């Protein structure tokens, strides 16, 4: 027990890095995903093709590979090549990757709304932005809550991939402790930490779903 | 001057010609019923009037303003986006599937467009909306979500929602076709009241009773053309067109 208490401060430090990556990714990738989804259902053929290529690329390759590419590979690309610090590199990779997944979730959500909703909005004089913002997207958010919740919980665990960039997130801190102390207890504690984070998220999403179910 | 003028409307879906030159003029306060077998193009024609479908030929004039016209080269030219939306919005529309916004209460459905599109003051709009709800007999449902209402109630809310925009004319696209028989009466009664208030109405319907009693003029469409047009008496008592005679025989049996 004393041992567990002794390692908790370090593990909390690691959790801070994990949570920072988590929150920044969520806050940036969901709006980006909405925009990409609107492009995916737009009437511009070239844009739809471009975005489906983007989604294919980002979903079709491992996040780990993308992470390594942004950190180690990007500096070698002419013109756009920049060397990013580990945290910005991680953010860039995670946001681009998760936006692709969110794009697909939102696209499916938008396409699940009956055509009659657009027609009613049209006959009431609403333009595209009003129709989307006031009629379609509020209904989409309700439909996509379960898959978004799923994706968000996956993200909590995917943050551990930044381990390969030598950032001291929860997982790397844990492994350092295990190697230093020859004790597997940190693994158990890390598991509890991840479980608590996903539990909080599960609870939050249940609350939101309940709130949205008022008009059923 | 006519409230709605449609000249020689042509509409194709891909290779299929659905409307083969439809003409219709509707005067102020007139109720026109459009009847015909399914697939005759009557709903499509109605949807062309307010730009839910774009036409491939012909001319549409609403309340003296040109919504769409065909130029010398045979291309259809619509009024600019903002203009055409404004012109189309002179007509309220009621759909077969109601199409209420499920995430808004009954009252929110009514005030949405008057407040956010017409930018009228909310307090005034709410008062008018409540008057309209009272008129369709649903004032006590003002804070209920549409899914809690019966089909007939939803359709009456949809009518009130269209009226909240203060339209000059109303288009009805088979307003009772997805209702249980015992619920059509309440919707038809609401429409009848509207007709008595001299609202200009075009009603695509399978309700022959309504067409006969409320409409001033009946248009029978089949195969994308108007086969016969006349007063309810002419259409229902003395049909001349063979298609119309056959149609009446099948549905009035």
């Amino acid at each position: 027990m004393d041992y567990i208490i002794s390692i908790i401060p370090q593990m909390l430090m690691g959790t801070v890095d994990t949570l920072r990556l988590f929150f920044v990714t969520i806050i940036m990738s969901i709006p980006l995903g909405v925009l990409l989804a609107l492009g995916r259902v737009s009437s511009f053929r070239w844009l739809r093709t471009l975005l489906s290529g983007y989604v294919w690329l980002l979903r079709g390759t491992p996040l780990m590979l993308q992470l390594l590419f942004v950190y180690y590979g990007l500096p070698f690309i002419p013109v756009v090549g920049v060397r990013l610090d580990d945290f910005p590199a991680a953010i860039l990779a995670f946001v681009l990757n998760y936006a692709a997944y969110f794009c697909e979730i939102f696209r499916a959500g938008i396409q699940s709304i009956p055509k009659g909703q657009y027609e009613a909005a049209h006959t009431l004089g609403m333009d595209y932005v009003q129709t989307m913002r006031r009629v379609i997207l509020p209904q989409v958010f309700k439909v996509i809550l379960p898959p978004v919740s799923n994706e968000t919980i996956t993200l909590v665990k995917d943050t551990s991939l930044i381990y390969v960039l030598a950032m001291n997130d929860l997982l790397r801190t844990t492994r350092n402790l295990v190697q230093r102390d020859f004790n597997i207890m940190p693994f158990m504690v890390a598991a509890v930490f991840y479980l608590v984070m996903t539990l909080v998220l599960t609870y939050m999403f249940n609350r939101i779903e309940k709130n949205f179910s008022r008009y059923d | 001057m006519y409230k709605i003028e449609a000249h020689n409307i042509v509409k194709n879906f891909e290779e299929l010609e659905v409307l083969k030159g439809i003409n219709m003029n509707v005067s102020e306060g007139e109720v026109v019923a459009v009847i015909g077998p399914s697939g005759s193009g009557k709903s499509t024609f109605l949807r062309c009037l307010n730009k839910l479908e774009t036409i491939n030929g012909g001319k549409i004039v609403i309340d003296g303003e040109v919504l769409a016209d065909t130029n010398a080269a045979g291309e259809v030219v619509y009024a600019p986006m903002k203009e055409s939306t404004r012109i189309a919005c002179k007509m309220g529309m009621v759909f077969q599937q109601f199409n209420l916004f499920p995430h808004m209460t009954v009252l929110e459905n009514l005030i949405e467009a008057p407040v956010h599109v017409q930018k009228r003051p909310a307090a005034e709009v709410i008062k008018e909306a409540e008057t309209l709800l009272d008129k369709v007999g649903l004032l006590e449902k003002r804070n209920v979500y549409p899914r809690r209402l019966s089909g007939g109630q939803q359709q009456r809310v949809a009518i009130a929602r269209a009226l909240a925009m203060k339209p000059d004319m109303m288009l009805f696209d088979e307003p009772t076709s997805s209702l249980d028989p015992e619920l059509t009466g309440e919707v038809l009664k609401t429409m009848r009241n509207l007709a008595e208030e001299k609202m200009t109405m075009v009603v695509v319907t399978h309700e022959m009773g309504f067409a006969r009693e409320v409409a001033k003029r009946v248009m029978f469409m089949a195969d994308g053309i108007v086969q016969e047009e006349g007063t309810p008496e002419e259409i229902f008592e003395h049909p001349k067109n063979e298609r119309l005679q056959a149609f009446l025989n099948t549905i009035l049996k």
Side-chain angles (χ1 to χ4, degrees), chain A residues 123-163:
Chain A
T123 62
L124 293 169
M126 294 183 166
D127 59 27
Y128 173 80
V129 175
Q130 284 169 326
T131 303
M132 281 299 167
R133 206 172 69 80
R134 307 221 26 115
V135 176
I136 305 301
L137 290 180
Q139 295 183 61
V140 169
F141 288 134
K142 180 186 153 75
V143 183
I144 50 92
L145 266 174
V148 165
S149 155
N150 229 340
E151 213 50 53
T152 308
I153 285 170
T154 306
L155 174 60
V156 173
K157 294 167 291 169
D158 272 359
T159 53
S160 59
L161 290 175
I162 54 170
Y163 166 89

Side-chain angles (χ1 to χ4, degrees), chain B residues 170-181:
Chain B
M170 287 284 282
L171 308 178
F172 292 86
D173 187 10
E174 305 197 24
T176 56
S177 295
S178 55
L179 295 176
D180 291 335

Side-chain angles (χ1 to χ4, degrees), chain B residues 33-38 40 42 174 177 204-212 218-221 235-236 239 242-253:
Chain B
V34 184
I35 61 170
S38 1
S40 59
K42 53 193 194 305
E174 305 197 24
S177 295
V204 170
T205 187
H206 293 292
E207 289 290 330
M208 293 307 138
F210 180 85
R212 193 193 287 245
V218 179
M219 237 170 86
F220 171 70
M221 275 178 71
I235 295 291
F236 292 109
E242 263 175 49
R243 293 291 311 267
L244 174 56
Q245 288 167 353
F247 175 72
L248 291 174
N249 271 331
T250 43
I251 61 162
L252 293 178
K253 256 190 188 135

